[in-house]
Amino acid sequence: MSDALAPGAVIGILGGGQLGRMLSVAAARLGFVTHIYEPGANPPAGQVADRVTTAAYEDAAALEAFAASVDVVTYEFENIPTEALDLLEAHRPIRPGREALRVSQDRLTEKTFLQGLGLNTAPFADITDLDSLRAAIGTIGTPAILKTRRFGYDGKGQARLRSPEDAEAAFADMAGAPAILESFVEFTHEVSIIAARGLDGQVACFDPGENVHREGILHTTTVPARLSPSQRTDAVLLAANILNALDYVGVMGVELFVTPQGLIVNEIAPRVHNSGHWTQNGCAVDQFEQHVRAVAGWPLGDGRRHADVVMENLIGSDMERVPDLSRESDVAIHLYGKAEVKPGRKMGHFNRIIRTR
Amino acid sequence: MSDALAPGAVIGILGGGQLGRMLSVAAARLGFVTHIYEPGANPPAGQVADRVTTAAYEDAAALEAFAASVDVVTYEFENIPTEALDLLEAHRPIRPGREALRVSQDRLTEKTFLQGLGLNTAPFADITDLDSLRAAIGTIGTPAILKTRRFGYDGKGQARLRSPEDAEAAFADMAGAPAILESFVEFTHEVSIIAARGLDGQVACFDPGENVHREGILHTTTVPARLSPSQRTDAVLLAANILNALDYVGVMGVELFVTPQGLIVNEIAPRVHNSGHWTQNGCAVDQFEQHVRAVAGWPLGDGRRHADVVMENLIGSDMERVPDLSRESDVAIHLYGKAEVKPGRKMGHFNRIIRTR
């Protein structure tokens, strides 16, 4: 543990949303102090962090001061401006590292990287203009999905093409942003695997969870997922493959489509992931602590699952369900401290413990 | 839930040590905001609280401002000056209530209260001077323990009498403080039961844990405790008896001696308790969340135990064990963010998960 941060060290977290909030709590549990960097005022993570810097990612002075005050920098989201990362990295290690960010910030780069590892992805094509879209439809066919290369999340920046005639409208939806066309994959269900890699190269995976989305937003994650033993092995091997290729340090979420022909990698997220929230009530060490352990240079924790869990997100007015949920035994509630309820806003989640084992 | 606080409400916590810290995290998990009141600078709880007031319990203005900023007041320790409580209670509810504090702040009052409920305690006598001590030794005999009536914790303010000749030295140890003499109980082991009572009068108990002390400080708590089925029932009934008698709201720790003649109540603590830390890794809802649920007027959570656990405190230089502990699977580490290691100082604890069930 010579590279390990000692308790009392300061972990800097870029982003003050719910992921930063739960990372902050996990860091505190291991005796670390957290400093949140977030452009928005009163971030949810600030309520459980020792320190908050409210500043833009373009504010060089604020970034410098932040870097000087922390021992390591991590983040809760991948779309951090490159210039900010350059500046921070001159002072402190950023974990997970730059390569993971570079790859995951751009869907085209990500898909190309995954293919280069020999992993299965949906057929895709680089879309620069309407002509290239039409040509891609000719190769890939429809149905297909047009997605912006950057800054997409929770179904935003996506347009479905049911037939070639949808090309123009879908292209217009991209508003001129570089995009990729992905073939629509005929999958039976979607799973994700939350994988971690330590500073020493050790890899550990949580059990895969099965995800159901509603309106492009994760609705539930159920563990165990419906997977055959060989599919489980495949999931672990491909996650380890990705992490090792990136010399990754931290937790990553890997979304997979399950098809009769095998697993197809949908996308990777170089951070703790909504589909890993079940670990808070299913494992002694959850994904947040696992991430903190990795970025702090600690040995990875034991992520063995001790319970079957269904995680369900509380979106917008789902908050009205909290009084009823609080009466249910076997439901563990996790709220994010967001003052304002908005439609589509992730306000919290709950883990229903189905069976301990 | 008409009396229930809604997420976003502010829970004021008197005391910023590790118990306040873990209460603060539990409150945040349910969407509450916490405000810590603590005379000492940079309290451990402040690292995970939204707001900290650093002021003395004699600072009326600070107490008024604190009360005005919160929706309910709770506390991590029982020795809060009465004047401060009077002032706070004029503005906001204090939970657990004043009667629990009045009873538990004074060993003589506490023992008398417990006896009044028909519960077994060690024989005791009120000691006001050396003559009353000598008279009490005549009745109670030796070995016996002389304890200050107030402000004792972790073995402080106690003197053992092996024989009547120790009377003078033991009395001198009390430095003039009012005291009680307690008969030395021949117990086989000590257990504690962490019990909770909601605003609606509902009572729920965690499984009893078995405690081992070293140098007057809790060393380990093991669940399950060695108790017969009827002893388990007795423990739950007597805890419920105590909570109901006090119209209690919140979590209480009840320490019990196990003797061949049955259970003897050693002492009660009107707060979350060190011997309940195992619940963090043994139950879906731990003692901290249970306390927050109670004081917020929520239904109590499901405290069923899903694992056998041994909790061990990390005292002073035990912090040097953290790197090794971090490598052990089935060990969940909980550190308190205290900057300075001091002999006898509680720096953290760990829960060793022995077996999930």
Side-chain angles (χ1 to χ4, degrees), chain A residues 95-109:
Chain A
R95 295 174 188 155
R98 297 295 298 276
E99 182 63 4
L101 282 165
R102 188 188 68 80
V103 164
S104 62
Q105 282 181 345
D106 183 316
R107 289 182 197 279
L108 182 65
T109 313

Side-chain angles (χ1 to χ4, degrees), chain A residues 3-123:
Chain A
D3 293 327
L5 295 182
V10 183
I11 296 184
I13 302 173
L14 303 174
Q18 63 268 19
L19 300 180
R21 175 179 171 101
M22 293 184 278
L23 282 171
S24 190
V25 166
R29 198 162 58 226
L30 297 183
F32 297 116
V33 175
T34 54
H35 185 167
I36 303 290
Y37 192 102
E38 163 67 47
N42 302 316
Q47 295 165 12
V48 290
D50 190 51
R51 214 170 139 193
V52 180
T53 292
T54 305
Y57 286 112
E58 292 71 35
D59 186 335
L63 288 165
E64 297 262 3
F66 173 76
S69 77
V70 305
D71 293 292
V72 65
V73 175
T74 189
Y75 44 88
E76 62 153 13
F77 74 119
E78 53 271 41
N79 292 318
I80 307 150
T82 300
E83 297 73 16
L85 294 167
D86 288 341
L87 207 150
L88 293 167
E89 198 175 30
H91 299 280
R92 294 291 183 273
I94 297 176
R95 295 174 188 155
R98 297 295 298 276
E99 182 63 4
L101 282 165
R102 188 188 68 80
V103 164
S104 62
Q105 282 181 345
D106 183 316
R107 289 182 197 279
L108 182 65
T109 313
E110 183 177 312
K111 285 267 196 296
T112 308
F113 161 76
L114 294 167
Q115 274 199 336
L117 292 178
L119 303 178
N120 294 322
T121 66

Side-chain angles (χ1 to χ4, degrees), chain B residues 136-150:
Chain B
I137 291 171
T139 321
I140 289 174
T142 52
I145 308 175
L146 190 64
K147 297 179 176 176
T148 55
R149 282 174 54 177
R150 293 174 65 93

Side-chain angles (χ1 to χ4, degrees), chain A residues 1 21 25 28-30 47-50 284 293 299 302 304 306 326-327 329-330 334-335 353 356-357, chain B residues 1 21 25 28-30 47-50 284 293 299 302 304 306 326-327 329-330 333-335 353 356-357:
Chain A
M1 298 242 304
R21 175 179 171 101
V25 166
R29 198 162 58 226
L30 297 183
Q47 295 165 12
V48 290
D50 190 51
R293 281 173 167 258
D302 185 348
R304 266 179 297 175
H306 61 67
S326 73
R327 269 186 281 273
S329 70
D330 292 344
H334 300 261
L335 302 181
I353 298 150
T356 59
R357 33 183 286 144
Chain B
M1 300 245 300
R21 176 179 170 100
V25 166
R29 197 163 58 228
L30 297 183
Q47 296 165 11
V48 290
D50 191 51
R293 280 172 167 260
D302 185 347
R304 266 179 298 176
H306 62 67
S326 73
R327 269 186 281 273
S329 71
D330 291 344
I333 299 172
H334 300 262
L335 303 182
I353 299 150
T356 59
R357 29 179 293 140

Side-chain angles (χ1 to χ4, degrees), chain A residues 142-194:
Chain A
T142 51
I145 308 175
L146 190 64
K147 296 178 177 178
T148 55
R149 282 173 55 177
R150 293 175 64 93
F151 303 118
Y153 69 97
D154 285 349
K156 294 181 174 70
Q158 303 195 4
R160 286 203 182 192
L161 290 86
R162 286 167 219 283
S163 71
E165 289 76 58
D166 291 342
E168 205 156 340
F171 187 76
D173 272 1
M174 300 296 108
I180 67 169
L181 186 71
E182 290 181 24
S183 170
F184 191 81
V185 175
E186 285 288 343
F187 58 92
T188 55
H189 50 293
E190 186 204 294
V191 302
S192 57
I193 183 158
I194 308 297

